[in-house]
Amino acid sequence: MVRLLPRVALVLGILALVGGTAFYWRTSRTSAPTEIAFSEFLRHVDAGRAVSVTVTDAAIDVALKDRRIVRTVPPPGFFGTNAAFVTDLARRGVLLQVKPIAPSGALQYGPIGIAICFMGLLGYAVYKTTSGRLPSMEGRARTADPKETTVRFSDVAGVDEAKDEVAEIVAFLREPQRFQAVGGRIPRGVLLVGPPGTGKTLLARAIAGEAGVPFLFASGSDFVEMYAGVGASRVRRLFRDARKHGSCIVFIDELDAVGRARGGHSLSHEEREQTLNQLLVEMDGFDETHGIVVIAATNRADILDHALLRPGRFDRQVTVSNPDLKGRNEILRVHLRKVTAAPDVNVVSIARGTPGFSGADLANVVNEAALLAGREGRSAVTTADLEAARDKVMMGAERRSIALTEAERVNCAWHEAGHAVVAAALPQADPLHKVTIIPRGRAMGVTMQLPEIDRHTYTKEYLNTQVAILMGGRAAEELFMEHMTSGASNDIERATDIAAHMVCEFGMSPLGPLAFSRKGQEDNRARQLSEESSRRVDAEIQAIVMRAYDRARSLLETHRDAVGALATTLLDLESLEAEEIASLLERHGVARRAH
């Protein structure tokens, strides 16, 4: 109730100010007399319509019988030279009053008073805001009751190593005496680092759910404010609320918004640094924080202040990365429990077909599959729904409304056939999964491959194979269509990028194991290129791409029949799946790849 008093007083003051302003405006509008000419005033007097006349030093106000009030200005010295006029007014029964002119500014007291009240209320609001004590501006952290926190470790899949890292925090919050008996102390802070969508926030909620303690959560941007001192005040309030619970978890999402390395001279930098300093003090200062664990999440750990990352503040950094094949399989099964799925859904195939997907991406795939099944009128999600949803998330939605000319369809079919045949013929390539000439996203056609395993490093032969596959489309256009189109622009861009990485970062060229920085890159660890080195780097990148192009063209010339058969089939069916592709190519002498 006490906290509401300033807010109620502020609201009542604003209402009183608005009401006073409206009353004064209405009163001034309704009582203002009408200006008339002096000759018209004389006619009113002669016609007997005047009831009273009020004379001031500046004007004459006349009250008429019809209850109107009019005002006129007499000629200079009129009453001094026309004394009989005053006597005539008295004889006609007109009430005559003479008033001195009002002091200068006397009629402006109302607006001045309103302005003073307004400025006072504005100053009060600014003072409360900058002090961080105005209830509506405090930005209080949200608190999740432990009884309402239903997320458990069983709901978090694909991050087994991260769960193992934080499991002992749960054990400490449950049984602190077991660790204190041997002199151990709970980690003060755990920093969850990983790409967006990998489940950092979900893991923090699972820790709170497993430990059965209150969960206070806030975003780093909640502490950032343009007013000096507000951020630091909000940090103090967050930890003051946390201490009321004894044991609890404080979760700060997007820590980089407030924990960026200190430096700079602008006011915004000073405010952020004050907020960061307060956070540092709260985490490891004179005030003890027994039983309070601070968990923060960020995908920009490289820009955090070093004082945050030292032991005693964030004691542990837990990496929450994109899941591997086993993790994707588990994540898909968790999300499929929330929808009606057919019993024969091939989850392993979908997991294999989603390399590099985060947990959020996989949740999106399952949701898109459920929506697709609903649109088609099916009562359960099937493998076909999941595959269609996977393709939509990975490559974009089908754009069947685009009207391609027959020449464009033919060119697209030969282009995709070139990619597919080169991929099928090279032993280091990933197996083909699907080839289509239906436009998806920004692409007019797609040749999709699925890796058999998750790759964390790449061999030189594998990268050369990828460049050759990318060059297969352009080579097919030149070899079979005898022209070049802009449809290979993205292939050329990706091939050049792979070759640049091979030369400048991976040391896979005659230039040796050296790191070079190319134009537009901001890697301070790499060597800056001289003009001579730049020419040599460009020459090596060109050599890698051109060797891959010659390799692709040679393979296509060797397997001309396979390319023609695949292109013709694509023009008829528009899309081919893995088994159809493998069977067709095997009939035309291209070795069948295991899928």
Side-chain angles (χ1 to χ4, degrees), residues 6 23 64 98 104 129 152 156 192 284 313 336 361 370 378 390 395 456 465 475 511:
F23 175 77
L64 303 177
V98 180
S104 177
T129 301
R152 298 293 185 267
V156 183
L192 305 178
D284 188 20
R313 292 201 173 104
L336 283 171
D361 293 330
R378 287 186 288 274
R390 184 266 319 279
M395 299 179 292
H456 305 290
T465 297
L511 297 180

Side-chain angles (χ1 to χ4, degrees), residues 225 244 264 326 376 435 460 535:
E225 189 59 71
K244 295 177 183 178
K326 177 176 176 293
E376 298 294 332
V435 181
K460 180 179 179 180
R535 284 194 293 268

Side-chain angles (χ1 to χ4, degrees), residues 421 424-425 558-559 561-563 582-592:
V421 170
T558 303
H559 302 289
D561 292 342
V563 179
S583 176
L584 187 149
L585 294 180
E586 187 177 13
R587 291 197 303 269
H588 291 83
V590 181
R592 181 185 177 91

Side-chain angles (χ1 to χ4, degrees), residues 288-497:
E288 294 293 333
T289 55
H290 292 304
I292 298 177
V293 179
V294 180
I295 301 177
T298 182
N299 49 28
R300 296 291 307 279
D302 56 309
I303 65 173
L304 294 181
D305 194 272
H306 293 296
L308 269 177
L309 304 179
R310 74 157 174 83
R313 292 201 173 104
F314 283 106
D315 301 275
R316 295 184 182 181
Q317 290 191 35
V318 178
T319 301
V320 187
S321 57
N322 286 329
D324 56 11
L325 176 59
K326 177 176 176 293
R328 294 196 298 273
N329 189 4
E330 295 173 353
I331 292 173
L332 285 170
R333 294 185 186 279
V334 168
H335 290 296
L336 283 171
R337 292 203 303 261
K338 304 173 185 178
V339 301
T340 305
D344 59 342
V345 168
N346 190 347
V347 180
V348 176
S349 174
I350 304 301
R352 285 187 57 241
T354 51
F357 275 41
S358 66
D361 293 330
L362 296 171
N364 191 28
V365 168
V366 174
N367 183 62
E368 288 286 349
L371 295 177
L372 177 59
R375 285 197 301 268
E376 298 294 332
R378 287 186 288 274
S379 59
V381 174
T382 64
T383 303
D385 294 327
L386 288 169
E387 290 182 347
R390 184 266 319 279
D391 294 346
K392 180 179 180 180
V393 172
M394 183 179 293
M395 299 179 292
E398 291 185 356
R399 297 190 298 165
R400 292 183 178 272
S401 59
I402 294 182
L404 298 179
T405 65
E406 187 60 26
E408 288 174 331
R409 290 185 74 250
V410 171
N411 187 83
C412 184
W414 284 96
H415 182 103
E416 298 305 328
H419 285 311
V421 170
V422 174
L426 291 175
Q428 292 288 332
D430 293 322
L432 288 166
H433 174 69
K434 186 174 185 176
V435 181
T436 179
I437 59 171
I438 299 173
R440 279 184 174 273
R442 298 175 61 184
M444 294 297 102
V446 177
T447 298
M448 183 178 177
Q449 298 170 259
L450 292 187
E452 296 174 314
I453 57 173
D454 288 332
R455 287 186 172 86
H456 305 290
T457 59
Y458 303 97
T459 65
K460 180 179 179 180
E461 180 57 33
Y462 178 80
L463 294 175
N464 281 325
T465 297
Q466 292 300 108
V467 179
I469 295 171
L470 290 168
M471 289 291 101
R474 166 54 63 86
E477 288 180 1
E478 290 192 56
L479 188 60
F480 300 103
M481 303 298 295
E482 298 182 352
H483 64 216
M484 292 182 287
T485 69
S486 61
S489 61
N490 183 252
D491 298 332
I492 295 171
E493 181 182 353
R494 291 164 58 194
T496 305
D497 188 57

Side-chain angles (χ1 to χ4, degrees), residues 249-260:
I249 290 176
V250 175
F251 178 65
I252 303 175
D253 201 5
E254 305 297 342
L255 180 66
D256 49 276
V258 69
R260 188 184 295 263

Side-chain angles (χ1 to χ4, degrees), residues 562-576:
V563 179
L566 184 56
T568 302
T569 307
L570 282 172
L571 288 171
D572 292 337
L573 303 180
E574 291 189 329
S575 295
L576 293 174

Side-chain angles (χ1 to χ4, degrees), residues 236-299:
R236 285 192 295 270
R237 182 179 182 83
L238 173 64
F239 281 86
R240 184 167 66 248
D241 292 343
R243 292 187 184 97
K244 295 177 183 178
H245 297 289
S247 294
C248 70
I249 290 176
V250 175
F251 178 65
I252 303 175
D253 201 5
E254 305 297 342
L255 180 66
D256 49 276
V258 69
R260 188 184 295 263
R262 286 168 285 189
H265 305 288
S266 67
L267 292 177
S268 62
H269 278 85
E270 293 178 5
E271 165 61 10
R272 184 165 47 77
E273 288 183 10
Q274 289 182 23
T275 306
L276 174 58
N277 290 335
Q278 186 63 45
L279 179 61
L280 296 174
V281 170
E282 293 290 349
M283 290 190 67
D284 188 20
F286 282 102
D287 292 335
E288 294 293 333
T289 55
H290 292 304
I292 298 177
V293 179
V294 180
I295 301 177
T298 182
N299 49 28

